[in-house]
Amino acid sequence: MGSESEKRREANKEEEEEEEEIVCLESFFINDDYQLTKFTFGSHVLELYCLQSASTDFDLTGQLVWPGAMLMNGYLSENAEILQGCSILELGSGVGITGVLCSKFCRKVIFTDHNDEVLKILKKNIELHGHSSGPNPSAELEAAKLEWGNSDHLGEILQKHKYGFDLILGADICFQQSSVPLLFDSVEQLLRIRGHGNCKFILAYVSRARQMDSAILREGAQHGMLMNEVSGTRCTVANLEGVIYEINLQ
């Protein structure tokens, strides 16, 4: 009898564990437990909705604020003059923390992401800051779907903004090596609209793998770009090495 009871207990335990795993997976894929969170960059205080803990699904990385975004925003807050009156397109905007900071100085910010779930929270944060006070409360803010390498997505954006942008931004967007060529394909198209010297790509890069370090430099060169490390920006962010690159067409 004892052995039968033990077997039933073990069976029930296994069933409960399986149910817990299913619940965890379901909540993982539909996790929208966003919290309004305060971030400070110099004299600028931003509040945005975001998740508080990391996900292992690369498609949902945009629901969080990553170390490279903190690096980028710190750099931009200290060098706000480069944003003044500019038009900006941000790649892989996620919850929009970098674009929201830029909106305080820029005349136009186009936030982009490829994931529909991420776009929902991005639009919510844009609405939150759409009528904010500050140096430039009338900035044009817009969210658009953009999967890197997708000419239809990029074409729709450029149909509305046919003269391109002054700056292209990307903060901590290099997670998967397979996506890097597509990223640089899209960046090259955007840079070539304005031509040499009239548009640049600012990339806040966080090193997580040496293969990725090499990949971004290689892809930049293959796409005819100059990768210039911004002096004084190499630092440690969240126990990882980060750096800011200014990238131009050769």
Coordinates of all heavy atoms in Angstrom, one line a residue, residues 121-215:
I121 N 3.4 48.0 -26.6 CA 3.9 48.7 -25.4 C 4.7 50.0 -25.9 O 4.7 51.0 -25.2 CB 4.8 47.8 -24.5 CG1 5.2 48.6 -23.2 CG2 6.0 47.3 -25.2 CD1 4.0 49.0 -22.4
L122 N 5.3 49.9 -27.1 CA 6.0 51.1 -27.6 C 5.0 52.2 -27.9 O 5.2 53.3 -27.5 CB 6.7 50.7 -28.9 CG 7.4 51.8 -29.7 CD1 8.4 52.5 -28.8 CD2 8.1 51.2 -30.9
K123 N 3.9 51.8 -28.5 CA 2.9 52.9 -28.8 C 2.3 53.4 -27.5 O 2.0 54.6 -27.4 CB 1.8 52.2 -29.7 CG 2.2 52.0 -31.1 CD 1.2 51.2 -31.9 CE 1.6 51.0 -33.3 NZ 0.6 50.2 -34.1
K124 N 2.1 52.6 -26.5 CA 1.6 53.1 -25.2 C 2.6 54.1 -24.6 O 2.1 55.1 -24.0 CB 1.4 51.9 -24.2 CG 0.8 52.3 -22.9 CD 0.5 51.0 -22.1 CE -0.2 51.4 -20.8 NZ -0.5 50.2 -20.0
N125 N 3.9 53.9 -24.7 CA 4.9 54.8 -24.2 C 4.9 56.1 -25.0 O 5.2 57.2 -24.5 CB 6.2 54.1 -24.1 CG 6.4 53.2 -22.8 OD1 5.8 53.5 -21.8 ND2 7.1 52.2 -23.0
I126 N 4.7 56.0 -26.3 CA 4.7 57.2 -27.1 C 3.5 58.0 -26.7 O 3.6 59.2 -26.6 CB 4.6 56.8 -28.6 CG1 5.9 56.2 -29.1 CG2 4.3 58.0 -29.5 CD1 5.9 55.6 -30.5
E127 N 2.3 57.4 -26.5 CA 1.2 58.1 -26.1 C 1.4 58.8 -24.7 O 1.0 59.9 -24.5 CB 0.0 57.2 -25.9 CG -0.6 56.7 -27.3 CD -1.6 55.6 -27.1 OE1 -2.1 55.4 -26.0 OE2 -2.1 55.0 -28.1
L128 N 2.1 58.1 -23.9 CA 2.4 58.7 -22.5 C 3.2 60.0 -22.6 O 3.1 60.9 -21.8 CB 3.2 57.6 -21.7 CG 3.6 57.9 -20.3 CD1 2.3 58.1 -19.4 CD2 4.5 56.9 -19.7
H129 N 4.1 60.0 -23.7 CA 5.0 61.2 -23.8 C 4.7 62.1 -25.0 O 5.4 63.0 -25.3 CB 6.4 60.7 -24.0 CG 7.0 60.1 -22.7 ND1 7.6 60.8 -21.7 CD2 7.0 58.8 -22.3 CE1 8.0 60.0 -20.7 NE2 7.6 58.8 -21.0
G130 N 3.6 61.8 -25.6 CA 3.2 62.5 -26.9 C 3.0 64.0 -26.7 O 3.1 64.8 -27.6
H131 N 2.6 64.4 -25.5 CA 2.3 65.8 -25.2 C 3.1 66.3 -24.0 O 2.7 67.1 -23.2 CB 0.8 66.0 -24.9 CG -0.1 65.6 -26.1 ND1 -0.1 66.2 -27.3 CD2 -0.8 64.5 -26.2 CE1 -1.0 65.6 -28.1 NE2 -1.4 64.5 -27.4
S132 N 4.3 65.8 -23.9 CA 5.1 66.1 -22.7 C 5.7 67.5 -22.8 O 5.8 68.1 -23.9 CB 6.3 65.1 -22.6 OG 7.1 65.2 -23.7
S133 N 6.0 68.1 -21.7 CA 6.6 69.4 -21.7 C 8.1 69.2 -21.9 O 8.6 68.1 -21.9 CB 6.3 70.1 -20.3 OG 6.8 69.3 -19.3
G134 N 8.8 70.3 -22.0 CA 10.2 70.2 -22.2 C 10.7 71.1 -23.4 O 9.9 71.9 -23.9
P135 N 11.9 71.0 -23.8 CA 12.5 71.9 -24.8 C 11.7 71.8 -26.1 O 11.7 72.8 -26.9 CB 13.9 71.4 -25.0 CG 14.2 70.7 -23.7 CD 12.9 70.1 -23.3
N136 N 11.1 70.6 -26.4 CA 10.5 70.5 -27.7 C 9.2 69.6 -27.6 O 9.1 68.5 -28.1 CB 11.4 69.8 -28.7 CG 10.9 69.8 -30.1 OD1 10.1 70.7 -30.5 ND2 11.4 68.9 -30.9
P137 N 8.1 70.2 -27.0 CA 6.9 69.5 -26.8 C 6.1 69.1 -28.0 O 5.2 68.3 -28.0 CB 6.1 70.4 -25.9 CG 6.6 71.8 -26.2 CD 8.0 71.6 -26.5
S138 N 6.5 69.7 -29.2 CA 5.7 69.5 -30.4 C 6.4 68.5 -31.3 O 6.0 68.4 -32.5 CB 5.6 70.9 -31.2 OG 6.8 71.4 -31.5
A139 N 7.3 67.8 -30.8 CA 8.0 66.8 -31.7 C 7.0 65.8 -32.3 O 6.1 65.3 -31.6 CB 9.1 66.1 -30.9
E140 N 7.3 65.4 -33.5 CA 6.4 64.4 -34.2 C 6.9 63.0 -33.8 O 8.1 62.6 -34.0 CB 6.5 64.5 -35.7 CG 5.8 63.5 -36.5 CD 6.0 63.6 -38.0 OE1 6.5 64.6 -38.4 OE2 5.7 62.6 -38.7
L141 N 6.1 62.2 -33.1 CA 6.4 60.8 -32.7 C 5.6 59.8 -33.4 O 4.3 60.0 -33.4 CB 6.2 60.7 -31.2 CG 6.9 61.8 -30.3 CD1 6.6 61.5 -28.8 CD2 8.4 61.9 -30.6
E142 N 6.2 58.8 -33.9 CA 5.5 57.7 -34.6 C 6.1 56.4 -34.5 O 7.3 56.3 -34.4 CB 5.5 58.1 -36.1 CG 4.8 57.2 -37.0 CD 5.0 57.5 -38.5 OE1 5.1 58.7 -38.8 OE2 5.1 56.6 -39.3
A143 N 5.3 55.4 -34.4 CA 5.8 54.0 -34.3 C 5.5 53.3 -35.6 O 4.4 53.4 -36.2 CB 5.1 53.2 -33.1
A144 N 6.5 52.5 -36.1 CA 6.3 51.8 -37.3 C 6.9 50.4 -37.2 O 7.9 50.2 -36.5 CB 6.9 52.6 -38.5
K145 N 6.3 49.5 -37.9 CA 6.9 48.1 -38.0 C 8.0 48.1 -39.0 O 7.9 48.5 -40.1 CB 5.8 47.1 -38.3 CG 6.4 45.6 -38.3 CD 5.2 44.6 -38.3 CE 5.8 43.2 -38.2 NZ 4.7 42.2 -38.0
L146 N 9.2 47.5 -38.5 CA 10.3 47.4 -39.4 C 11.1 46.2 -39.0 O 11.8 46.1 -38.0 CB 11.2 48.6 -39.4 CG 12.5 48.5 -40.2 CD1 12.2 48.3 -41.7 CD2 13.4 49.8 -40.1
E147 N 11.0 45.2 -39.9 CA 11.9 44.0 -39.8 C 13.1 44.2 -40.7 O 13.0 44.5 -41.9 CB 11.1 42.7 -40.3 CG 11.9 41.5 -40.1 CD 11.1 40.2 -40.5 OE1 9.9 40.4 -40.9 OE2 11.6 39.1 -40.3
W148 N 14.3 44.1 -40.1 CA 15.5 44.4 -40.9 C 15.6 43.6 -42.1 O 15.3 42.4 -42.1 CB 16.7 44.2 -40.0 CG 16.7 45.0 -38.8 CD1 16.0 46.2 -38.5 CD2 17.4 44.7 -37.5 NE1 16.2 46.6 -37.3 CE2 17.1 45.8 -36.6 CE3 18.2 43.7 -37.1 CZ2 17.6 45.8 -35.3 CZ3 18.8 43.7 -35.9 CH2 18.4 44.7 -35.0
G149 N 15.9 44.2 -43.2 CA 16.0 43.5 -44.5 C 14.7 43.4 -45.2 O 14.7 42.9 -46.4
N150 N 13.6 43.9 -44.6 CA 12.3 43.8 -45.2 C 12.1 45.1 -46.1 O 11.8 46.1 -45.5 CB 11.2 43.6 -44.2 CG 9.8 43.4 -44.8 OD1 9.4 44.1 -45.7 ND2 9.1 42.4 -44.2
S151 N 12.2 45.0 -47.4 CA 12.1 46.2 -48.2 C 10.7 46.8 -48.2 O 10.5 48.0 -48.4 CB 12.5 45.8 -49.6 OG 11.7 44.8 -50.2
D152 N 9.7 46.0 -48.0 CA 8.3 46.5 -47.9 C 8.1 47.4 -46.7 O 7.5 48.5 -46.8 CB 7.3 45.3 -47.9 CG 7.2 44.6 -49.2 OD1 7.6 45.2 -50.2 OD2 6.8 43.4 -49.2
H153 N 8.6 46.9 -45.5 CA 8.5 47.7 -44.3 C 9.2 49.0 -44.5 O 8.7 50.1 -44.1 CB 9.0 46.9 -43.1 CG 8.2 45.8 -42.7 ND1 8.6 44.9 -41.7 CD2 7.0 45.3 -43.1 CE1 7.7 44.0 -41.5 NE2 6.7 44.2 -42.4
L154 N 10.4 48.9 -45.0 CA 11.2 50.1 -45.1 C 10.6 51.1 -46.2 O 10.6 52.3 -46.0 CB 12.7 49.8 -45.5 CG 13.7 50.9 -45.4 CD1 13.8 51.5 -44.0 CD2 15.1 50.3 -45.8
G155 N 10.1 50.5 -47.2 CA 9.5 51.3 -48.3 C 8.3 52.1 -47.7 O 8.1 53.2 -48.1
E156 N 7.5 51.4 -46.9 CA 6.3 52.1 -46.3 C 6.8 53.3 -45.4 O 6.1 54.4 -45.5 CB 5.5 51.2 -45.4 CG 4.7 50.1 -46.3 CD 4.0 49.2 -45.4 OE1 3.8 49.5 -44.2 OE2 3.6 48.1 -45.9
I157 N 7.8 53.2 -44.7 CA 8.3 54.3 -43.9 C 8.9 55.4 -44.8 O 8.6 56.6 -44.5 CB 9.5 53.8 -42.9 CG1 8.9 52.8 -41.9 CG2 10.2 54.9 -42.2 CD1 9.9 52.1 -41.1
L158 N 9.6 55.0 -45.8 CA 10.2 56.1 -46.6 C 9.2 56.7 -47.6 O 9.4 57.8 -48.1 CB 11.4 55.4 -47.4 CG 12.6 55.0 -46.6 CD1 13.6 54.3 -47.5 CD2 13.2 56.1 -45.8
Q159 N 8.1 56.1 -47.8 CA 7.0 56.7 -48.5 C 6.5 57.9 -47.8 O 6.1 58.9 -48.4 CB 5.9 55.7 -48.8 CG 5.0 56.0 -50.0 CD 4.2 54.8 -50.4 OE1 3.8 54.0 -49.5 NE2 3.8 54.7 -51.7
K160 N 6.4 57.8 -46.5 CA 6.0 58.9 -45.6 C 7.1 59.9 -45.3 O 6.8 61.0 -45.0 CB 5.4 58.3 -44.3 CG 4.2 57.5 -44.5 CD 3.7 56.9 -43.2 CE 3.1 57.9 -42.2 NZ 2.6 57.3 -41.0
H161 N 8.3 59.4 -45.3 CA 9.5 60.3 -45.0 C 10.5 60.2 -46.1 O 11.6 59.6 -45.9 CB 10.0 59.8 -43.6 CG 9.0 59.7 -42.5 ND1 8.5 60.8 -41.8 CD2 8.3 58.6 -42.1 CE1 7.6 60.4 -41.0 NE2 7.5 59.1 -41.1
K162 N 10.1 60.7 -47.3 CA 10.9 60.4 -48.5 C 12.3 61.1 -48.5 O 13.2 60.7 -49.3 CB 10.1 60.8 -49.7 CG 9.8 62.3 -49.8 CD 9.0 62.6 -51.0 CE 8.5 64.0 -51.1 NZ 7.7 64.3 -52.3
Y163 N 12.5 62.0 -47.6 CA 13.8 62.7 -47.5 C 14.7 62.1 -46.5 O 15.8 62.6 -46.3 CB 13.6 64.2 -47.3 CG 12.9 64.9 -48.4 CD1 11.6 65.4 -48.1 CD2 13.4 65.0 -49.7 CE1 10.9 66.0 -49.1 CE2 12.7 65.6 -50.7 CZ 11.4 66.1 -50.4 OH 10.7 66.8 -51.4
G164 N 14.3 61.0 -45.9 CA 15.2 60.3 -45.0 C 15.3 61.0 -43.6 O 14.4 61.8 -43.2
F165 N 16.4 60.7 -42.9 CA 16.6 61.2 -41.6 C 18.0 61.7 -41.4 O 18.9 61.3 -42.0 CB 16.3 60.0 -40.6 CG 14.9 59.4 -40.8 CD1 14.7 58.3 -41.7 CD2 13.8 59.9 -40.1 CE1 13.5 57.8 -41.9 CE2 12.5 59.4 -40.3 CZ 12.4 58.3 -41.2
D166 N 18.1 62.6 -40.3 CA 19.4 63.1 -40.0 C 20.2 62.1 -39.3 O 21.5 62.0 -39.5 CB 19.3 64.3 -39.1 CG 18.5 65.5 -39.8 OD1 18.9 65.8 -40.9 OD2 17.5 66.0 -39.2
L167 N 19.6 61.3 -38.4 CA 20.3 60.3 -37.6 C 19.5 59.0 -37.6 O 18.3 59.0 -37.5 CB 20.4 60.8 -36.1 CG 21.3 62.0 -35.8 CD1 21.2 62.4 -34.4 CD2 22.8 61.6 -36.2
I168 N 20.3 57.9 -37.6 CA 19.7 56.6 -37.4 C 20.3 56.1 -36.0 O 21.6 56.2 -35.8 CB 20.1 55.6 -38.5 CG1 19.9 56.2 -39.9 CG2 19.4 54.2 -38.3 CD1 18.5 56.6 -40.1
L169 N 19.5 55.6 -35.1 CA 20.0 55.2 -33.8 C 19.7 53.7 -33.6 O 18.7 53.2 -34.1 CB 19.3 56.0 -32.7 CG 19.5 57.5 -32.7 CD1 18.8 58.1 -31.5 CD2 21.0 57.9 -32.7
G170 N 20.6 53.0 -32.9 CA 20.4 51.6 -32.5 C 21.0 51.4 -31.1 O 22.3 51.6 -31.0
A171 N 20.3 51.0 -30.1 CA 20.9 50.8 -28.8 C 20.7 49.3 -28.4 O 19.6 48.9 -28.2 CB 20.1 51.7 -27.8
D172 N 21.8 48.6 -28.3 CA 21.8 47.2 -27.8 C 20.9 46.4 -28.7 O 20.1 45.6 -28.2 CB 21.4 47.2 -26.3 CG 22.1 46.1 -25.6 OD1 22.8 45.2 -26.2 OD2 22.1 46.1 -24.3
I173 N 21.1 46.4 -30.0 CA 20.3 45.7 -30.9 C 20.9 44.5 -31.6 O 20.3 43.9 -32.4 CB 19.7 46.7 -32.0 CG1 20.8 47.4 -32.7 CG2 18.8 47.7 -31.4 CD1 20.4 48.2 -33.9
C174 N 22.2 44.2 -31.2 CA 22.9 43.1 -31.8 C 23.0 41.9 -30.9 O 23.9 41.8 -30.1 CB 24.3 43.6 -32.1 SG 24.4 45.0 -33.3
F175 N 21.9 41.1 -31.0 CA 21.8 39.9 -30.1 C 22.1 38.6 -30.9 O 22.6 37.7 -30.4 CB 20.4 39.8 -29.5 CG 20.2 40.8 -28.3 CD1 19.7 42.0 -28.5 CD2 20.5 40.4 -27.1 CE1 19.5 42.9 -27.5 CE2 20.4 41.2 -26.0 CZ 19.8 42.5 -26.2
Q176 N 21.6 38.6 -32.2 CA 21.7 37.4 -33.0 C 22.6 37.7 -34.2 O 22.3 38.6 -35.0 CB 20.3 36.9 -33.4 CG 19.4 36.5 -32.3 CD 18.0 36.2 -32.7 OE1 17.3 37.1 -33.2 NE2 17.6 34.9 -32.7
Q177 N 23.6 36.8 -34.3 CA 24.6 37.1 -35.4 C 23.9 37.0 -36.8 O 24.3 37.7 -37.7 CB 25.7 36.1 -35.3 CG 27.0 36.5 -36.1 CD 28.2 35.6 -35.8 OE1 28.2 35.0 -34.7 NE2 29.1 35.5 -36.7
S178 N 22.9 36.1 -36.9 CA 22.3 36.0 -38.2 C 21.5 37.2 -38.6 O 21.3 37.4 -39.8 CB 21.3 34.8 -38.1 OG 20.3 35.0 -37.2
S179 N 21.2 38.1 -37.7 CA 20.4 39.3 -38.0 C 21.3 40.5 -38.4 O 20.9 41.5 -38.9 CB 19.5 39.7 -36.8 OG 20.3 40.2 -35.8
V180 N 22.6 40.4 -38.1 CA 23.5 41.5 -38.3 C 23.6 41.9 -39.8 O 23.6 43.1 -40.1 CB 24.9 41.2 -37.7 CG1 25.9 42.3 -38.1 CG2 24.8 41.1 -36.2
P181 N 23.8 41.0 -40.8 CA 23.8 41.4 -42.2 C 22.5 42.2 -42.6 O 22.6 43.2 -43.3 CB 23.9 40.1 -42.9 CG 24.6 39.2 -42.0 CD 24.0 39.6 -40.6
L182 N 21.4 41.7 -42.1 CA 20.1 42.4 -42.4 C 20.0 43.8 -41.8 O 19.5 44.7 -42.4 CB 18.9 41.5 -41.9 CG 18.8 40.1 -42.5 CD1 17.7 39.3 -41.8 CD2 18.6 40.2 -44.0
L183 N 20.5 43.9 -40.5 CA 20.6 45.2 -39.9 C 21.4 46.2 -40.8 O 20.9 47.3 -41.0 CB 21.3 45.1 -38.5 CG 21.7 46.4 -37.8 CD1 20.6 47.3 -37.6 CD2 22.5 46.0 -36.6
F184 N 22.6 45.8 -41.2 CA 23.4 46.7 -42.0 C 22.9 46.9 -43.4 O 23.1 48.0 -44.0 CB 24.9 46.2 -42.0 CG 25.6 46.6 -40.8 CD1 25.6 45.7 -39.6 CD2 26.3 47.7 -40.7 CE1 26.3 46.1 -38.5 CE2 27.0 48.1 -39.6 CZ 27.0 47.3 -38.4
D185 N 22.1 45.9 -43.9 CA 21.4 46.2 -45.2 C 20.5 47.4 -45.0 O 20.4 48.3 -45.9 CB 20.6 45.0 -45.6 CG 21.5 43.8 -46.2 OD1 22.6 44.1 -46.5 OD2 20.9 42.7 -46.3
S186 N 19.7 47.4 -44.0 CA 18.7 48.4 -43.7 C 19.4 49.7 -43.4 O 19.0 50.8 -43.9 CB 17.8 48.0 -42.6 OG 17.0 46.9 -42.9
V187 N 20.4 49.7 -42.6 CA 21.2 50.9 -42.3 C 21.8 51.6 -43.6 O 21.7 52.8 -43.8 CB 22.3 50.6 -41.3 CG1 23.2 51.9 -41.1 CG2 21.7 50.3 -39.9
E188 N 22.4 50.7 -44.4 CA 22.9 51.2 -45.7 C 21.9 51.9 -46.5 O 22.1 53.0 -47.1 CB 23.6 50.1 -46.5 CG 24.3 50.7 -47.7 CD 24.9 49.6 -48.6 OE1 24.9 48.4 -48.2 OE2 25.4 49.9 -49.7
Q189 N 20.7 51.3 -46.7 CA 19.7 52.0 -47.4 C 19.3 53.3 -46.9 O 19.1 54.3 -47.6 CB 18.4 51.0 -47.5 CG 18.6 49.8 -48.3 CD 17.4 48.9 -48.3 OE1 16.3 49.4 -48.8 NE2 17.5 47.7 -47.8
L190 N 19.2 53.4 -45.5 CA 18.8 54.6 -44.9 C 19.9 55.7 -45.0 O 19.6 56.9 -45.3 CB 18.5 54.4 -43.4 CG 17.2 53.6 -43.1 CD1 17.2 53.0 -41.7 CD2 16.0 54.5 -43.3
L191 N 21.1 55.3 -44.9 CA 22.2 56.3 -45.0 C 22.3 56.8 -46.5 O 22.6 58.0 -46.7 CB 23.5 55.6 -44.6 CG 23.7 55.3 -43.2 CD1 25.1 54.6 -42.9 CD2 23.6 56.5 -42.3
R192 N 22.1 56.0 -47.4 CA 22.2 56.4 -48.8 C 21.2 57.4 -49.3 O 21.4 58.0 -50.3 CB 22.3 55.2 -49.8 CG 23.6 54.4 -49.6 CD 23.9 53.4 -50.7 NE 25.1 52.7 -50.4 CZ 26.4 53.1 -50.5 NH1 26.5 54.4 -50.9 NH2 27.4 52.4 -50.2
I193 N 20.0 57.5 -48.6 CA 19.0 58.4 -49.0 C 19.6 59.8 -49.0 O 19.4 60.7 -49.9 CB 17.8 58.3 -48.1 CG1 17.1 56.9 -48.3 CG2 16.8 59.4 -48.4 CD1 16.1 56.6 -47.3
R194 N 20.3 60.1 -47.9 CA 20.8 61.5 -47.7 C 22.2 61.6 -48.3 O 22.7 62.7 -48.6 CB 21.0 61.8 -46.2 CG 19.6 62.0 -45.5 CD 19.1 63.4 -45.8 NE 17.9 63.7 -45.1 CZ 17.8 64.3 -43.9 NH1 18.9 64.7 -43.3 NH2 16.7 64.6 -43.4
G195 N 22.9 60.5 -48.5 CA 24.2 60.5 -49.1 C 25.3 60.8 -48.1 O 25.1 61.0 -46.9
H196 N 26.6 60.7 -48.5 CA 27.7 60.8 -47.7 C 27.7 62.1 -46.9 O 27.6 63.2 -47.4 CB 29.0 60.7 -48.5 CG 30.3 60.8 -47.8 ND1 30.8 59.8 -47.0 CD2 31.1 61.9 -47.6 CE1 31.9 60.2 -46.4 NE2 32.1 61.5 -46.8
G197 N 27.9 61.9 -45.5 CA 28.1 63.1 -44.7 C 26.8 63.7 -44.2 O 26.8 64.6 -43.4
N198 N 25.7 63.3 -44.7 CA 24.4 63.9 -44.4 C 23.5 63.1 -43.5 O 22.4 63.6 -43.1 CB 23.6 64.2 -45.7 CG 24.4 65.2 -46.6 OD1 24.8 66.3 -46.1 ND2 24.5 64.9 -47.8
C199 N 23.9 62.0 -43.1 CA 23.2 61.1 -42.2 C 24.2 60.1 -41.6 O 25.1 59.7 -42.3 CB 22.1 60.3 -42.9 SG 21.2 59.1 -41.9
K200 N 24.1 59.9 -40.3 CA 25.0 58.9 -39.7 C 24.2 58.0 -38.7 O 23.1 58.3 -38.3 CB 26.1 59.6 -38.9 CG 25.7 60.5 -37.7 CD 26.9 61.1 -37.1 CE 26.5 62.2 -36.0 NZ 27.7 62.9 -35.5
F201 N 24.8 56.8 -38.5 CA 24.2 55.8 -37.7 C 25.0 55.8 -36.4 O 26.2 55.6 -36.4 CB 24.3 54.5 -38.4 CG 23.9 53.2 -37.6 CD1 22.8 53.3 -36.7 CD2 24.5 52.0 -37.8 CE1 22.4 52.2 -36.0 CE2 24.1 50.9 -37.1 CZ 23.0 51.0 -36.2
I202 N 24.3 56.0 -35.2 CA 24.9 55.9 -33.9 C 24.5 54.6 -33.3 O 23.3 54.4 -33.1 CB 24.5 57.1 -33.0 CG1 25.0 58.4 -33.7 CG2 25.2 57.0 -31.7 CD1 24.6 59.7 -32.9
L203 N 25.4 53.7 -33.0 CA 25.2 52.4 -32.4 C 25.8 52.3 -31.0 O 27.0 52.5 -30.9 CB 25.8 51.3 -33.3 CG 25.7 49.9 -32.8 CD1 24.3 49.4 -32.8 CD2 26.5 49.0 -33.7
A204 N 24.9 52.0 -30.0 CA 25.4 51.7 -28.7 C 25.5 50.2 -28.6 O 24.5 49.5 -28.6 CB 24.4 52.2 -27.6
Y205 N 26.8 49.7 -28.6 CA 27.0 48.3 -28.7 C 27.5 47.8 -27.4 O 28.4 48.3 -26.8 CB 28.1 48.0 -29.8 CG 28.4 46.6 -29.9 CD1 27.6 45.7 -30.5 CD2 29.7 46.1 -29.4 CE1 27.9 44.3 -30.6 CE2 30.0 44.8 -29.5 CZ 29.1 43.9 -30.1 OH 29.4 42.5 -30.2
V206 N 26.9 46.6 -27.0 CA 27.4 45.9 -25.8 C 27.9 44.6 -26.2 O 27.2 43.8 -26.9 CB 26.2 45.8 -24.8 CG1 26.6 44.9 -23.6 CG2 25.7 47.1 -24.3
S207 N 29.1 44.3 -25.8 CA 29.8 43.1 -26.2 C 29.4 41.9 -25.3 O 29.5 41.9 -24.1 CB 31.3 43.2 -26.1 OG 32.0 42.0 -26.3
R208 N 28.8 40.8 -26.0 CA 28.4 39.6 -25.3 C 29.1 38.4 -25.9 O 29.1 37.3 -25.2 CB 26.9 39.4 -25.3 CG 26.2 40.5 -24.6 CD 24.7 40.3 -24.6 NE 23.9 41.2 -23.8 CZ 23.6 42.5 -24.2 NH1 23.8 42.8 -25.4 NH2 22.9 43.3 -23.4
A209 N 29.7 38.5 -27.0 CA 30.4 37.4 -27.7 C 31.4 38.0 -28.7 O 31.1 38.9 -29.4 CB 29.4 36.5 -28.4
R210 N 32.6 37.4 -28.7 CA 33.6 37.9 -29.6 C 33.2 37.7 -31.1 O 33.6 38.6 -31.9 CB 34.9 37.1 -29.4 CG 35.6 37.5 -28.0 CD 36.9 36.9 -27.9 NE 37.5 37.4 -26.6 CZ 38.8 37.1 -26.2 NH1 39.5 36.3 -27.0 NH2 39.2 37.5 -25.1
Q211 N 32.4 36.7 -31.4 CA 32.0 36.5 -32.8 C 31.1 37.7 -33.2 O 31.2 38.1 -34.3 CB 31.2 35.2 -32.9 CG 32.0 33.9 -32.7 CD 31.8 33.4 -31.2 OE1 31.7 34.3 -30.3 NE2 31.8 32.1 -31.1
M212 N 30.3 38.2 -32.3 CA 29.5 39.3 -32.6 C 30.3 40.6 -32.8 O 30.0 41.4 -33.6 CB 28.4 39.5 -31.6 CG 27.4 40.6 -31.9 SD 26.4 40.3 -33.3 CE 25.1 39.2 -32.5
D213 N 31.3 40.7 -31.9 CA 32.2 41.9 -32.0 C 32.8 42.0 -33.4 O 32.8 43.0 -34.0 CB 33.3 41.8 -31.0 CG 32.9 41.7 -29.6 OD1 31.7 42.0 -29.3 OD2 33.7 41.4 -28.7
S214 N 33.3 40.8 -33.9 CA 33.9 40.8 -35.2 C 32.8 41.0 -36.3 O 33.1 41.6 -37.3 CB 34.5 39.4 -35.4 OG 35.5 39.2 -34.5
A215 N 31.6 40.4 -36.1 CA 30.6 40.5 -37.1 C 30.1 41.9 -37.4 O 30.0 42.2 -38.6 CB 29.4 39.6 -36.7

